[in-house]
Amino acid sequence: MLALLLVASCGLESGSAVPLRVGPGSIRPIPALDGVRITVGSKDFTEQNILGYLIEFALTAAGAEVRDLTDIVGSNSLRDAQLHGQIDIAYDYTGTGWINYLGRENPVPGSDEQFTAVRDADLTAHGMVWAAMAPMNNTYAMVANPGTAADKSITSLSDYANLVNTDPDAAATCVGTEFNVRQDGFPGMARKYDIDTGKVRKQIVQDSLVFQATADGNQCRFGSVAATDGRIPALNLKLLTDDRAFFPKYNAALVMRKSFADAHPQVIAVMEPISRLLTNESITELNRKVDIEGREPATVARTWLIDQGFVTPG
C-alpha cells in the first residue's frame, strides 16, 4: 500500500504528453487505435527511458493518444503501477520478471526458453502478457581494462578466474554494490567459475564509477557492468565471454495486462518490427549517444525510429 501511495504521489495517475512530435512512416495510422489512451512507462535509467520513448513514438504514429510515464524509480514501482492499471505497457526484462517478480531462484538457460517460462508463469500468476521479445540481452557482465586484456590474454570469464587464482594483484576488480551480493552477481559467478574468493582483490563502488575506474586501470583492472551499457565501447573496455553460461538472460520484451492486450492486439503488431531490430549492438549505440554524447533519450529514440523509417518528423 505504501508503494502505491508513493507511486500516486509522484504523479503517475495521469502522466504527461509525449515530448516530441512524430508522424506516420512505415507505421501507419490504425483505425482501431485512433484516440485510444495508452500510458507508457519505464524505469529510471538511460536504456529504459529510450525503450519507453520508442513505444510512445511508435504508438503515437499509429494514432493512439499516448501519455508519458517514463523514468519511474525502480523495477518494483514500475511493476506495481502496471499491476494496478496506472501504466498500460512498458519494456521489461525477462530475467527481472522471472527472478524479481515471480520469485524464482534459478534462471532458465537460453533466451527463448527464459522468455517462454516467464511469459507462461506471469500470465497464470498475475494476468500479465509478455510479447515481442527483442534480441538485446541486458544481462550482467564483466569487462576488462584493454591493456590488461591484451597483456594477460584475457577474453573470457574462465581466463579471468584463472588470473584471480594465480595472480590476484593483476586481477584487481571493481564491483557494483548490488552485483557484489546478488546470487546472479559475484557470489554465484565465483562458484560457477571456481574462483577462490579469498584471493580476490575486490573493491565495492557505485555502478557508475566502475567504468572509468576499469578504463584507467589504476584502481581496478576488471569491473562488473550491464552488457548493453554505452560506456563499454566508448571507453574501449573488453567484454568478457561468459563461456560457462552463468549469467541469466535479460532480454527486453513488452509487458502489459491481459485485459489491455486483448482489447488492443494491434499494439503488439506495431511494436514487433521495432523489437526485432533491438540488438545488443543497436541499443548499446543508443545508450552511448545519451551517456557519452549527452543527448536526450527522447531525441535519440525518435531519431532512430526516423532513420529506420518507422516514423517521420511530424
Side-chain angles (χ1 to χ4, degrees), residues 69-264:
L69 274 177
T70 53
D71 209 36
I72 296 172
V73 179
S75 295
N76 289 337
S77 294
L78 175 68
R79 175 69 166 189
D80 286 341
Q82 283 204 278
L83 288 174
H84 292 87
Q86 294 166 305
I87 290 171
D88 296 310
I89 185 170
Y91 271 110
D92 213 327
Y93 302 103
T94 54
T96 302
W98 187 248
I99 296 170
N100 289 39
Y101 305 154
L102 292 166
R104 308 299 176 91
E105 294 184 359
N106 299 315
V108 177
S111 290
D112 291 337
E113 293 81 0
Q114 180 65 89
F115 170 77
T116 300
V118 72
R119 180 198 65 190
D120 295 348
D122 208 14
L123 180 62
T124 299
H126 303 115
M128 299 297 285
V129 171
W130 291 68
M133 185 187 77
M136 58 170 284
N137 176 22
N138 188 15
T139 187
Y140 277 130
M142 292 290 291
V143 292
N145 172 277
T148 300
D151 293 343
K152 302 293 185 180
S153 299
I154 307 297
T155 62
S156 69
L157 285 177
S158 289
D159 295 334
Y160 164 74
N162 182 63
L163 187 64
V164 170
N165 293 337
T166 58
D167 189 1
D169 290 336
T173 303
C174 285
V175 298
T177 52
E178 194 169 343
F179 183 84
N180 183 57
V181 297
R182 286 176 59 133
Q183 291 308 305
D184 58 347
F186 199 90
M189 183 187 76
R191 288 193 299 272
K192 183 73 172 182
Y193 283 91
D194 302 314
I195 294 172
D196 185 347
T197 55
K199 293 183 177 180
V200 178
R201 304 294 187 264
K202 182 173 61 173
Q203 295 192 54
I204 304 168
V205 300
Q206 293 180 1
D207 289 331
S208 60
L209 301 179
V210 171
F211 298 89
Q212 194 63 57
T214 306
D216 292 341
N218 298 320
Q219 184 177 359
C220 53
R221 309 288 182 86
F222 299 88
S224 64
V225 298
T228 56
D229 197 291
R231 288 166 288 191
I232 297 172
L235 295 172
N236 198 30
L237 299 172
K238 301 305 177 185
L239 200 63
L240 301 184
T241 302
D242 181 11
D243 50 308
R244 294 188 185 179
F246 164 71
F247 289 118
K249 304 301 182 184
Y250 283 83
N251 293 84
L254 297 176
V255 184
M256 64 206 88
R257 297 182 311 282
K258 185 177 185 299
S259 57
F260 175 84
D262 289 346
H264 308 293

Side-chain angles (χ1 to χ4, degrees), residues 42 47 68 114-115 126 145 265 270 295:
S42 83
E47 181 171 287
D68 174 15
Q114 180 65 89
F115 170 77
H126 303 115
N145 172 277
V270 168
R295 299 174 63 184

